[in-house]
Amino acid sequence: MSILVTGGAGYIGSHTVVELLNRDENIVIVDNFVNSKPEVLEKIKKITGKDFKFYEVDILDEKKLNNVFEENDIESVIHFAGLKAVGESVEKPIEYYYNNVTGTLVLLKLMRKYNCKKIVFSSSATVYGDPGTPKYIEEFGRGKTTNPYGSTKSIIEQILEDLYASDNSWNIAILRYFNPIGAHKSGLIGEEPQGIPNNLMPFIMKVANKELDHLNVFGNDYEGTKDGTGARDYLHVVDLAIGHIKALEKLNREKSGVFIYNLGTGTAYTVLEIIETFKRVNNVDVPYKIAPRRSGDLAIYYADPTKAKKELGWVCERGIEEMCRDSWNFIKSDK
Ligand code: NAD
Ligand code: UFG
């Protein structure tokens, strides 16, 4: 029996595959490399010394994805495959809804066909919208999303709940990630965005590496944060990967249900705190300028991770210094 990992060559997927292989699980990866590279698969093998099956398949291609189910005894699915750039989703809503929502529907149809009803889904804190308070609790439910990317996550959550309502033998974990950063200790896998990055940590790394001359800090007049810059709940990608293992273990203990968890540390750090920590632990310079606020950004939010701790036995073990160190190690290492 195998675990199918869609998007397993991507940033979070690759780290999760490493953790699964370290636990001797049988893995099948499906990825179309729209936002990753084939070399990642070799890096995963190098880190773990283990092998796995891989299919270069777009999850929208029902025939080819059917073949993956036909050739393997898939017991559960961890579903990472999706497009994730917020700004791009505003420019290309059709592509985002098609890839993320239709892709998930194709996957779910095949799971039903092969009577494989256990799925862990990558959702996002963005589905909360703006609940008006910084500490997000699962029971808030979904709010109004502010961009097509966030809407795809919200819609897929709804689809999964509707699916369970129609057939309560489904066993579903919805994981709402906060802000994953960092990289594997080996320096072999990490986040490698193409072109100019949107997110804070990839941007800091390009500036530290002198590929870009400075970072724009989007706003320093936010209320409710330590220094006026935006604050987020950053978590180490390896902790996040382990969260998926724990979620799968939970599903293996349960007969069926829909289980929703925040995956975050419960602490928010400001942009300036991240810059200062990155500079200090890595002994590099990160020039920055204060710039206007970025449209759509909230001042501060962070997870209430109590439910994941109680029900999954999951807590983050890696702190902000380790996150900054491992991110930089990935960029500097001789891959
Ligand atoms: P990523 O882009 O590194 O990984 C996604 C992988 O899916 C890539 O390897 C890509 O090639 C693949 N993919 C995309 N569409 C596909 C398709 N149609 N068929 C086959 N493969 C496809 O992103 P990530 O940061 O690893 O994120 C993984 C998941 O977690 C995504 O669904 C993302 O939306 C979600 N998420 C990410 C964050 C974050 O900050 N990184 C936060 C919340 C949620
Ligand atoms: N920031 C800057 N300068 C930059 C980039 C970011 O100051 O160049 C600031 C932002 O204003 C924000 C913080 O750094 O205060 C974090 O920004 P990111 O873009 O790294 O992350 P976001 O919190 O905006 O978004 C992330 C994911 C989304 C997801 C969202 C869920 O990128 O996919 O969390 O809450 F939807």
Side-chain angles (χ1 to χ4, degrees):
M1 288 207 289
S2 303
I3 301 167
L4 173 64
V5 184
T6 74
Y11 174 47
I12 306 167
S14 59
H15 288 82
T16 304
V17 168
V18 165
E19 296 305 318
L20 288 165
L21 292 172
N22 284 343
R23 287 158 179 80
D24 287 328
E25 298 286 359
N26 286 324
I27 301 297
V28 177
I29 297 181
V30 163
D31 204 300
N32 65 352
F33 300 125
V34 65
N35 196 37
S36 53
K37 292 184 186 149
E39 296 87 86
V40 170
L41 303 174
E42 294 314 310
K43 307 279 166 55
I44 294 173
K45 288 179 192 166
K46 202 168 164 190
I47 293 169
T48 61
K50 306 248 171 72
D51 208 354
F52 50 84
K53 267 184 143 176
F54 173 75
Y55 292 82
E56 185 170 345
V57 163
D58 188 323
I59 58 165
L60 285 158
D61 188 333
E62 189 168 339
K63 224 167 136 198
K64 285 193 182 153
L65 194 57
N66 184 73
N67 190 36
V68 175
F69 278 90
E70 194 63 51
E71 289 180 2
N72 298 280
D73 183 10
I74 309 283
E75 204 238 339
S76 50
V77 176
I78 308 184
H79 179 34
F80 293 104
L83 299 174
K84 64 163 182 177
V86 172
E88 189 184 56
S89 80
V90 177
E91 309 293 321
K92 299 178 176 176
I94 295 175
E95 283 77 5
Y96 269 67
Y97 285 110
Y98 187 53
N99 191 75
N100 293 5
V101 180
T102 309
T104 302
L105 289 172
V106 171
L107 173 69
L108 294 172
K109 247 173 84 178
L110 290 172
M111 289 180 69
R112 181 178 61 185
K113 178 175 171 190
Y114 286 88
N115 199 31
C116 163
K117 294 182 176 174
K118 211 181 282 179
I119 182 167
V120 177
F121 172 62
S122 300
S123 191
S124 163
T126 198
V127 302
Y128 286 106
D130 181 5
T133 171
K135 187 181 189 173
Y136 291 3
I137 308 174
E138 290 87 348
E139 64 201 30
F140 288 170
R142 292 182 288 277
K144 188 170 163 22
T145 47
T146 50
N147 56 71
Y149 165 73
S151 301
T152 68
K153 294 294 174 192
S154 197
I155 290 168
I156 296 167
E157 286 199 3
Q158 185 66 57
I159 290 171
L160 291 169
E161 288 175 0
D162 291 344
L163 188 58
Y164 178 74
S166 74
D167 169 0
N168 61 18
S169 65
W170 279 85
N171 207 351
I172 297 166
I174 292 172
L175 306 181
R176 293 180 178 158
Y177 313 158
F178 283 69
N179 292 48
I181 58 172
H184 192 264
K185 276 267 172 290
S186 61
L188 291 172
I189 55 172
E191 189 170 24
E192 242 173 326
Q194 311 298 308
I196 307 269
N198 303 297
N199 297 116
L200 180 63
M201 185 52 81
F203 211 106
I204 288 180
M205 294 196 288
K206 295 242 175 193
V207 173
N209 212 21
K210 301 193 185 336
E211 289 171 56
L212 297 170
D213 63 49
H214 75 276
L215 170 81
N216 284 314
V217 173
F218 298 139
N220 67 347
D221 56 354
Y222 281 110
E223 273 175 33
T225 81
K226 278 181 207 154
D227 51 34
T229 64
R232 294 289 182 274
D233 184 339
Y234 298 94
L235 76 161
H236 197 294
V237 66
V238 173
D239 281 324
L240 180 58
I242 293 168
H244 293 75
I245 311 280
K246 300 278 187 184
L248 210 49
E249 287 171 0
K250 164 82 175 167
L251 296 187
N252 289 336
R253 288 194 298 274
E254 299 289 336
K255 231 175 100 227
S256 65
V258 181
F259 307 94
I260 303 181
Y261 299 103
N262 284 339
L263 295 185
T265 63
T267 304
Y269 287 96
T270 66
V271 176
L272 292 184
E273 284 177 316
I274 298 291
I275 295 172
E276 290 312 317
T277 309
F278 191 94
K279 283 163 63 173
R280 178 167 49 80
V281 301
N282 296 317
N283 200 20
V284 285
D285 196 16
V286 181
Y288 67 85
K289 290 181 186 159
I290 302 298
R293 292 182 179 190
R294 184 171 66 178
S295 139
D297 274 354
L298 296 177
I300 173 169
Y301 60 84
Y302 51 94
D304 179 340
T306 311
K307 191 177 174 206
K309 184 178 179 188
K310 200 166 144 222
E311 295 186 15
L312 305 180
W314 176 84
V315 284
C316 290
E317 290 177 350
R318 294 155 182 82
I320 199 69
E321 296 190 347
E322 194 168 350
M323 297 179 215
C324 289
R325 222 179 283 127
D326 291 346
S327 289
W328 187 233
N329 180 46
F330 170 63
I331 296 299
K332 295 317 270 181
S333 71
D334 190 10
K335 292 184 266 298

PDB file of all heavy atoms in Angstrom, residues 7 9-13 31-36 57-59 80-82 84 99 122-124 149 153 177 180, ligand 1:
ATOM      1  N   GLY A   7       2.133  16.971  -6.020  1.00  0.00           N
ATOM      2  CA  GLY A   7       2.966  18.158  -5.772  1.00  0.00           C
ATOM      3  C   GLY A   7       4.147  17.832  -4.865  1.00  0.00           C
ATOM      4  O   GLY A   7       4.692  18.711  -4.197  1.00  0.00           O
ATOM      5  N   ALA A   9       7.181  17.291  -5.518  1.00  0.00           N
ATOM      6  CA  ALA A   9       8.487  17.875  -5.856  1.00  0.00           C
ATOM      7  C   ALA A   9       8.581  19.329  -5.393  1.00  0.00           C
ATOM      8  O   ALA A   9       9.636  19.957  -5.503  1.00  0.00           O
ATOM      9  CB  ALA A   9       8.711  17.794  -7.368  1.00  0.00           C
ATOM     10  N   GLY A  10       7.489  19.851  -4.867  1.00  0.00           N
ATOM     11  CA  GLY A  10       7.460  21.255  -4.449  1.00  0.00           C
ATOM     12  C   GLY A  10       8.104  21.474  -3.083  1.00  0.00           C
ATOM     13  O   GLY A  10       8.655  20.543  -2.479  1.00  0.00           O
ATOM     14  N   TYR A  11       8.017  22.704  -2.633  1.00  0.00           N
ATOM     15  CA  TYR A  11       8.692  23.112  -1.379  1.00  0.00           C
ATOM     16  C   TYR A  11       8.212  22.283  -0.170  1.00  0.00           C
ATOM     17  O   TYR A  11       9.001  21.566   0.450  1.00  0.00           O
ATOM     18  CB  TYR A  11       8.436  24.608  -1.187  1.00  0.00           C
ATOM     19  CG  TYR A  11       8.916  25.203   0.104  1.00  0.00           C
ATOM     20  CD1 TYR A  11      10.206  24.946   0.593  1.00  0.00           C
ATOM     21  CD2 TYR A  11       8.090  26.061   0.841  1.00  0.00           C
ATOM     22  CE1 TYR A  11      10.644  25.526   1.780  1.00  0.00           C
ATOM     23  CE2 TYR A  11       8.519  26.643   2.011  1.00  0.00           C
ATOM     24  CZ  TYR A  11       9.796  26.372   2.484  1.00  0.00           C
ATOM     25  OH  TYR A  11      10.225  26.944   3.652  1.00  0.00           O
ATOM     26  N   ILE A  12       6.938  22.342   0.142  1.00  0.00           N
ATOM     27  CA  ILE A  12       6.451  21.633   1.338  1.00  0.00           C
ATOM     28  C   ILE A  12       6.360  20.124   1.051  1.00  0.00           C
ATOM     29  O   ILE A  12       6.686  19.294   1.902  1.00  0.00           O
ATOM     30  CB  ILE A  12       5.081  22.201   1.796  1.00  0.00           C
ATOM     31  CG1 ILE A  12       5.186  23.723   1.993  1.00  0.00           C
ATOM     32  CG2 ILE A  12       4.624  21.539   3.089  1.00  0.00           C
ATOM     33  CD1 ILE A  12       3.851  24.440   2.128  1.00  0.00           C
ATOM     34  N   GLY A  13       5.951  19.796  -0.174  1.00  0.00           N
ATOM     35  CA  GLY A  13       5.823  18.393  -0.554  1.00  0.00           C
ATOM     36  C   GLY A  13       7.140  17.636  -0.415  1.00  0.00           C
ATOM     37  O   GLY A  13       7.179  16.531   0.134  1.00  0.00           O
ATOM     38  N   ASP A  31       3.814  14.938 -10.021  1.00  0.00           N
ATOM     39  CA  ASP A  31       4.076  16.378 -10.142  1.00  0.00           C
ATOM     40  C   ASP A  31       4.252  16.689 -11.625  1.00  0.00           C
ATOM     41  O   ASP A  31       4.748  15.844 -12.378  1.00  0.00           O
ATOM     42  CB  ASP A  31       5.349  16.760  -9.362  1.00  0.00           C
ATOM     43  CG  ASP A  31       5.361  18.239  -8.959  1.00  0.00           C
ATOM     44  OD1 ASP A  31       5.306  19.090  -9.859  1.00  0.00           O
ATOM     45  OD2 ASP A  31       5.414  18.537  -7.757  1.00  0.00           O
ATOM     46  N   ASN A  32       3.858  17.907 -12.054  1.00  0.00           N
ATOM     47  CA  ASN A  32       4.081  18.274 -13.459  1.00  0.00           C
ATOM     48  C   ASN A  32       5.193  19.323 -13.591  1.00  0.00           C
ATOM     49  O   ASN A  32       5.400  19.857 -14.671  1.00  0.00           O
ATOM     50  CB  ASN A  32       2.787  18.788 -14.103  1.00  0.00           C
ATOM     51  CG  ASN A  32       2.298  20.087 -13.486  1.00  0.00           C
ATOM     52  OD1 ASN A  32       2.850  20.541 -12.468  1.00  0.00           O
ATOM     53  ND2 ASN A  32       1.288  20.703 -14.073  1.00  0.00           N
ATOM     54  N   PHE A  33       5.879  19.630 -12.490  1.00  0.00           N
ATOM     55  CA  PHE A  33       7.012  20.571 -12.457  1.00  0.00           C
ATOM     56  C   PHE A  33       6.632  21.983 -12.900  1.00  0.00           C
ATOM     57  O   PHE A  33       7.485  22.734 -13.357  1.00  0.00           O
ATOM     58  CB  PHE A  33       8.187  20.061 -13.305  1.00  0.00           C
ATOM     59  CG  PHE A  33       8.728  18.737 -12.839  1.00  0.00           C
ATOM     60  CD1 PHE A  33       8.819  17.665 -13.719  1.00  0.00           C
ATOM     61  CD2 PHE A  33       9.138  18.547 -11.530  1.00  0.00           C
ATOM     62  CE1 PHE A  33       9.316  16.438 -13.292  1.00  0.00           C
ATOM     63  CE2 PHE A  33       9.633  17.313 -11.093  1.00  0.00           C
ATOM     64  CZ  PHE A  33       9.724  16.267 -11.976  1.00  0.00           C
ATOM     65  N   VAL A  34       5.367  22.352 -12.766  1.00  0.00           N
ATOM     66  CA  VAL A  34       5.001  23.727 -13.141  1.00  0.00           C
ATOM     67  C   VAL A  34       5.695  24.720 -12.212  1.00  0.00           C
ATOM     68  O   VAL A  34       5.994  25.843 -12.600  1.00  0.00           O
ATOM     69  CB  VAL A  34       3.459  23.909 -13.162  1.00  0.00           C
ATOM     70  CG1 VAL A  34       2.830  23.759 -11.795  1.00  0.00           C
ATOM     71  CG2 VAL A  34       3.067  25.251 -13.742  1.00  0.00           C
ATOM     72  N   ASN A  35       5.991  24.294 -10.965  1.00  0.00           N
ATOM     73  CA  ASN A  35       6.712  25.189 -10.054  1.00  0.00           C
ATOM     74  C   ASN A  35       7.806  24.442  -9.272  1.00  0.00           C
ATOM     75  O   ASN A  35       8.043  24.738  -8.104  1.00  0.00           O
ATOM     76  CB  ASN A  35       5.735  25.868  -9.091  1.00  0.00           C
ATOM     77  CG  ASN A  35       6.340  27.072  -8.409  1.00  0.00           C
ATOM     78  OD1 ASN A  35       7.116  27.814  -9.018  1.00  0.00           O
ATOM     79  ND2 ASN A  35       6.033  27.262  -7.138  1.00  0.00           N
ATOM     80  N   SER A  36       8.416  23.477  -9.917  1.00  0.00           N
ATOM     81  CA  SER A  36       9.508  22.743  -9.252  1.00  0.00           C
ATOM     82  C   SER A  36      10.387  22.118 -10.326  1.00  0.00           C
ATOM     83  O   SER A  36      10.088  22.224 -11.518  1.00  0.00           O
ATOM     84  CB  SER A  36       8.943  21.663  -8.329  1.00  0.00           C
ATOM     85  OG  SER A  36       8.048  20.835  -9.041  1.00  0.00           O
ATOM     86  N   VAL A  57       3.023  13.849 -14.144  1.00  0.00           N
ATOM     87  CA  VAL A  57       1.619  13.886 -14.561  1.00  0.00           C
ATOM     88  C   VAL A  57       0.980  15.164 -14.028  1.00  0.00           C
ATOM     89  O   VAL A  57       1.230  15.571 -12.896  1.00  0.00           O
ATOM     90  CB  VAL A  57       0.870  12.642 -13.991  1.00  0.00           C
ATOM     91  CG1 VAL A  57      -0.639  12.834 -14.026  1.00  0.00           C
ATOM     92  CG2 VAL A  57       1.249  11.382 -14.770  1.00  0.00           C
ATOM     93  N   ASP A  58       0.159  15.784 -14.870  1.00  0.00           N
ATOM     94  CA  ASP A  58      -0.662  16.916 -14.436  1.00  0.00           C
ATOM     95  C   ASP A  58      -1.933  16.320 -13.827  1.00  0.00           C
ATOM     96  O   ASP A  58      -2.583  15.485 -14.467  1.00  0.00           O
ATOM     97  CB  ASP A  58      -0.999  17.759 -15.682  1.00  0.00           C
ATOM     98  CG  ASP A  58      -1.692  19.059 -15.324  1.00  0.00           C
ATOM     99  OD1 ASP A  58      -2.507  19.061 -14.383  1.00  0.00           O
ATOM    100  OD2 ASP A  58      -1.419  20.058 -15.999  1.00  0.00           O
ATOM    101  N   ILE A  59      -2.288  16.731 -12.624  1.00  0.00           N
ATOM    102  CA  ILE A  59      -3.472  16.119 -11.988  1.00  0.00           C
ATOM    103  C   ILE A  59      -4.761  16.421 -12.762  1.00  0.00           C
ATOM    104  O   ILE A  59      -5.775  15.781 -12.553  1.00  0.00           O
ATOM    105  CB  ILE A  59      -3.642  16.519 -10.493  1.00  0.00           C
ATOM    106  CG1 ILE A  59      -3.759  18.028 -10.313  1.00  0.00           C
ATOM    107  CG2 ILE A  59      -2.523  15.938  -9.647  1.00  0.00           C
ATOM    108  CD1 ILE A  59      -4.282  18.425  -8.932  1.00  0.00           C
ATOM    109  N   PHE A  80      -0.770  18.290  -2.231  1.00  0.00           N
ATOM    110  CA  PHE A  80      -0.102  19.600  -2.242  1.00  0.00           C
ATOM    111  C   PHE A  80      -0.262  20.316  -3.580  1.00  0.00           C
ATOM    112  O   PHE A  80      -0.076  21.535  -3.635  1.00  0.00           O
ATOM    113  CB  PHE A  80       1.416  19.426  -2.037  1.00  0.00           C
ATOM    114  CG  PHE A  80       1.838  18.919  -0.692  1.00  0.00           C
ATOM    115  CD1 PHE A  80       2.248  17.604  -0.531  1.00  0.00           C
ATOM    116  CD2 PHE A  80       1.838  19.752   0.414  1.00  0.00           C
ATOM    117  CE1 PHE A  80       2.659  17.127   0.709  1.00  0.00           C
ATOM    118  CE2 PHE A  80       2.241  19.295   1.657  1.00  0.00           C
ATOM    119  CZ  PHE A  80       2.655  17.969   1.804  1.00  0.00           C
ATOM    120  N   ALA A  81      -0.495  19.564  -4.662  1.00  0.00           N
ATOM    121  CA  ALA A  81      -0.423  20.167  -5.998  1.00  0.00           C
ATOM    122  C   ALA A  81      -1.386  21.339  -6.127  1.00  0.00           C
ATOM    123  O   ALA A  81      -2.586  21.206  -5.901  1.00  0.00           O
ATOM    124  CB  ALA A  81      -0.735  19.107  -7.066  1.00  0.00           C
ATOM    125  N   GLY A  82      -0.839  22.474  -6.493  1.00  0.00           N
ATOM    126  CA  GLY A  82      -1.658  23.677  -6.661  1.00  0.00           C
ATOM    127  C   GLY A  82      -0.765  24.848  -6.987  1.00  0.00           C
ATOM    128  O   GLY A  82       0.447  24.802  -6.743  1.00  0.00           O
ATOM    129  N   LYS A  84       0.199  28.795  -6.200  1.00  0.00           N
ATOM    130  CA  LYS A  84       0.112  29.450  -4.889  1.00  0.00           C
ATOM    131  C   LYS A  84       0.464  30.936  -4.839  1.00  0.00           C
ATOM    132  O   LYS A  84       0.541  31.512  -3.757  1.00  0.00           O
ATOM    133  CB  LYS A  84       0.997  28.703  -3.911  1.00  0.00           C
ATOM    134  CG  LYS A  84       2.473  28.762  -4.259  1.00  0.00           C
ATOM    135  CD  LYS A  84       3.367  28.382  -3.083  1.00  0.00           C
ATOM    136  CE  LYS A  84       4.816  28.502  -3.456  1.00  0.00           C
ATOM    137  NZ  LYS A  84       5.739  28.224  -2.373  1.00  0.00           N
ATOM    138  N   ASN A  99      -6.707  25.037 -12.286  1.00  0.00           N
ATOM    139  CA  ASN A  99      -5.661  24.141 -11.760  1.00  0.00           C
ATOM    140  C   ASN A  99      -6.009  23.640 -10.352  1.00  0.00           C
ATOM    141  O   ASN A  99      -5.954  22.441 -10.080  1.00  0.00           O
ATOM    142  CB  ASN A  99      -4.318  24.877 -11.741  1.00  0.00           C
ATOM    143  CG  ASN A  99      -3.160  23.934 -11.470  1.00  0.00           C
ATOM    144  OD1 ASN A  99      -2.744  23.170 -12.339  1.00  0.00           O
ATOM    145  ND2 ASN A  99      -2.674  23.934 -10.240  1.00  0.00           N
ATOM    146  N   SER A 122      -3.745  20.571   1.714  1.00  0.00           N
ATOM    147  CA  SER A 122      -2.994  21.801   2.029  1.00  0.00           C
ATOM    148  C   SER A 122      -3.895  23.011   1.918  1.00  0.00           C
ATOM    149  O   SER A 122      -4.093  23.538   0.830  1.00  0.00           O
ATOM    150  CB  SER A 122      -1.894  22.033   0.993  1.00  0.00           C
ATOM    151  OG  SER A 122      -0.982  21.003   0.935  1.00  0.00           O
ATOM    152  N   SER A 123      -4.399  23.478   3.038  1.00  0.00           N
ATOM    153  CA  SER A 123      -5.150  24.727   2.995  1.00  0.00           C
ATOM    154  C   SER A 123      -4.282  25.842   3.566  1.00  0.00           C
ATOM    155  O   SER A 123      -3.065  25.669   3.741  1.00  0.00           O
ATOM    156  CB  SER A 123      -6.489  24.589   3.727  1.00  0.00           C
ATOM    157  OG  SER A 123      -7.285  25.722   3.447  1.00  0.00           O
ATOM    158  N   SER A 124      -4.889  26.963   3.862  1.00  0.00           N
ATOM    159  CA  SER A 124      -4.098  28.129   4.228  1.00  0.00           C
ATOM    160  C   SER A 124      -4.873  28.987   5.226  1.00  0.00           C
ATOM    161  O   SER A 124      -6.107  29.044   5.200  1.00  0.00           O
ATOM    162  CB  SER A 124      -3.827  28.948   2.960  1.00  0.00           C
ATOM    163  OG  SER A 124      -3.414  30.243   3.284  1.00  0.00           O
ATOM    164  N   TYR A 149      -6.546  33.032  -5.295  1.00  0.00           N
ATOM    165  CA  TYR A 149      -5.811  31.925  -4.667  1.00  0.00           C
ATOM    166  C   TYR A 149      -6.510  31.494  -3.371  1.00  0.00           C
ATOM    167  O   TYR A 149      -6.802  30.308  -3.165  1.00  0.00           O
ATOM    168  CB  TYR A 149      -4.358  32.343  -4.366  1.00  0.00           C
ATOM    169  CG  TYR A 149      -3.682  31.394  -3.403  1.00  0.00           C
ATOM    170  CD1 TYR A 149      -3.295  30.128  -3.812  1.00  0.00           C
ATOM    171  CD2 TYR A 149      -3.477  31.750  -2.060  1.00  0.00           C
ATOM    172  CE1 TYR A 149      -2.706  29.239  -2.919  1.00  0.00           C
ATOM    173  CE2 TYR A 149      -2.899  30.874  -1.170  1.00  0.00           C
ATOM    174  CZ  TYR A 149      -2.520  29.623  -1.603  1.00  0.00           C
ATOM    175  OH  TYR A 149      -1.954  28.741  -0.706  1.00  0.00           O
ATOM    176  N   LYS A 153      -8.716  27.845  -2.123  1.00  0.00           N
ATOM    177  CA  LYS A 153      -8.547  27.058  -0.889  1.00  0.00           C
ATOM    178  C   LYS A 153      -9.879  26.932  -0.153  1.00  0.00           C
ATOM    179  O   LYS A 153     -10.235  25.867   0.347  1.00  0.00           O
ATOM    180  CB  LYS A 153      -7.494  27.706   0.024  1.00  0.00           C
ATOM    181  CG  LYS A 153      -6.097  27.703  -0.539  1.00  0.00           C
ATOM    182  CD  LYS A 153      -5.561  26.296  -0.663  1.00  0.00           C
ATOM    183  CE  LYS A 153      -4.224  26.246  -1.362  1.00  0.00           C
ATOM    184  NZ  LYS A 153      -3.820  24.889  -1.731  1.00  0.00           N
ATOM    185  N   TYR A 177      -2.176  26.112   6.864  1.00  0.00           N
ATOM    186  CA  TYR A 177      -0.805  26.525   7.164  1.00  0.00           C
ATOM    187  C   TYR A 177      -0.752  28.029   7.415  1.00  0.00           C
ATOM    188  O   TYR A 177      -1.420  28.806   6.739  1.00  0.00           O
ATOM    189  CB  TYR A 177       0.157  26.279   6.002  1.00  0.00           C
ATOM    190  CG  TYR A 177       0.121  24.941   5.316  1.00  0.00           C
ATOM    191  CD1 TYR A 177       0.611  24.840   4.010  1.00  0.00           C
ATOM    192  CD2 TYR A 177      -0.340  23.784   5.941  1.00  0.00           C
ATOM    193  CE1 TYR A 177       0.635  23.637   3.343  1.00  0.00           C
ATOM    194  CE2 TYR A 177      -0.321  22.572   5.272  1.00  0.00           C
ATOM    195  CZ  TYR A 177       0.155  22.509   3.981  1.00  0.00           C
ATOM    196  OH  TYR A 177       0.178  21.324   3.307  1.00  0.00           O
ATOM    197  N   PRO A 180       5.139  29.126   6.197  1.00  0.00           N
ATOM    198  CA  PRO A 180       6.294  28.235   6.243  1.00  0.00           C
ATOM    199  C   PRO A 180       7.548  28.884   5.647  1.00  0.00           C
ATOM    200  O   PRO A 180       7.486  29.500   4.580  1.00  0.00           O
ATOM    201  CB  PRO A 180       5.860  27.031   5.397  1.00  0.00           C
ATOM    202  CG  PRO A 180       4.734  27.510   4.556  1.00  0.00           C
ATOM    203  CD  PRO A 180       4.110  28.674   5.244  1.00  0.00           C
TER     204      PRO A 180
HETATM  205  P1  NAD B   1       5.106  24.626  -4.518  1.00  0.00           P
HETATM  206  O1  NAD B   1       4.686  25.419  -5.691  1.00  0.00           O
HETATM  207  O2  NAD B   1       6.545  24.585  -4.144  1.00  0.00           O
HETATM  208  O3  NAD B   1       4.606  23.111  -4.667  1.00  0.00           O
HETATM  209  C1  NAD B   1       3.450  22.763  -5.383  1.00  0.00           C
HETATM  210  C2  NAD B   1       3.835  21.627  -6.335  1.00  0.00           C
HETATM  211  O4  NAD B   1       2.666  21.230  -7.058  1.00  0.00           O
HETATM  212  C3  NAD B   1       4.872  22.040  -7.360  1.00  0.00           C
HETATM  213  O5  NAD B   1       5.919  21.075  -7.411  1.00  0.00           O
HETATM  214  C4  NAD B   1       4.111  22.092  -8.675  1.00  0.00           C
HETATM  215  O6  NAD B   1       4.931  21.766  -9.777  1.00  0.00           O
HETATM  216  C5  NAD B   1       3.007  21.080  -8.425  1.00  0.00           C
HETATM  217  N1  NAD B   1       1.771  21.282  -9.190  1.00  0.00           N
HETATM  218  C6  NAD B   1       1.027  22.407  -9.296  1.00  0.00           C
HETATM  219  N2  NAD B   1      -0.034  22.183 -10.094  1.00  0.00           N
HETATM  220  C7  NAD B   1       0.038  20.893 -10.494  1.00  0.00           C
HETATM  221  C8  NAD B   1      -0.775  20.077 -11.328  1.00  0.00           C
HETATM  222  N3  NAD B   1      -1.856  20.551 -11.945  1.00  0.00           N
HETATM  223  N4  NAD B   1      -0.410  18.778 -11.500  1.00  0.00           N
HETATM  224  C9  NAD B   1       0.694  18.280 -10.912  1.00  0.00           C
HETATM  225  N5  NAD B   1       1.504  19.015 -10.114  1.00  0.00           N
HETATM  226  C10 NAD B   1       1.166  20.308  -9.915  1.00  0.00           C
HETATM  227  O7  NAD B   1       4.231  25.132  -3.272  1.00  0.00           O
HETATM  228  P2  NAD B   1       4.349  24.781  -1.728  1.00  0.00           P
HETATM  229  O8  NAD B   1       4.790  26.004  -1.012  1.00  0.00           O
HETATM  230  O9  NAD B   1       5.093  23.524  -1.544  1.00  0.00           O
HETATM  231  O10 NAD B   1       2.823  24.574  -1.393  1.00  0.00           O
HETATM  232  C11 NAD B   1       2.207  23.300  -1.393  1.00  0.00           C
HETATM  233  C12 NAD B   1       0.730  23.473  -1.141  1.00  0.00           C
HETATM  234  O11 NAD B   1       0.538  24.152   0.090  1.00  0.00           O
HETATM  235  C13 NAD B   1       0.010  24.315  -2.210  1.00  0.00           C
HETATM  236  O12 NAD B   1      -1.282  23.765  -2.420  1.00  0.00           O
HETATM  237  C14 NAD B   1      -0.093  25.671  -1.551  1.00  0.00           C
HETATM  238  O13 NAD B   1      -1.156  26.413  -2.031  1.00  0.00           O
HETATM  239  C15 NAD B   1      -0.275  25.303  -0.091  1.00  0.00           C
HETATM  240  N6  NAD B   1       0.132  26.367   0.831  1.00  0.00           N
HETATM  241  C16 NAD B   1       1.398  26.898   0.756  1.00  0.00           C
HETATM  242  C17 NAD B   1       1.761  27.933   1.622  1.00  0.00           C
HETATM  243  C18 NAD B   1       3.126  28.554   1.541  1.00  0.00           C
HETATM  244  O14 NAD B   1       3.315  29.630   2.125  1.00  0.00           O
HETATM  245  N7  NAD B   1       4.110  27.931   0.907  1.00  0.00           N
HETATM  246  C19 NAD B   1       0.844  28.413   2.561  1.00  0.00           C
HETATM  247  C20 NAD B   1      -0.404  27.842   2.638  1.00  0.00           C
HETATM  248  C21 NAD B   1      -0.761  26.806   1.759  1.00  0.00           C
END
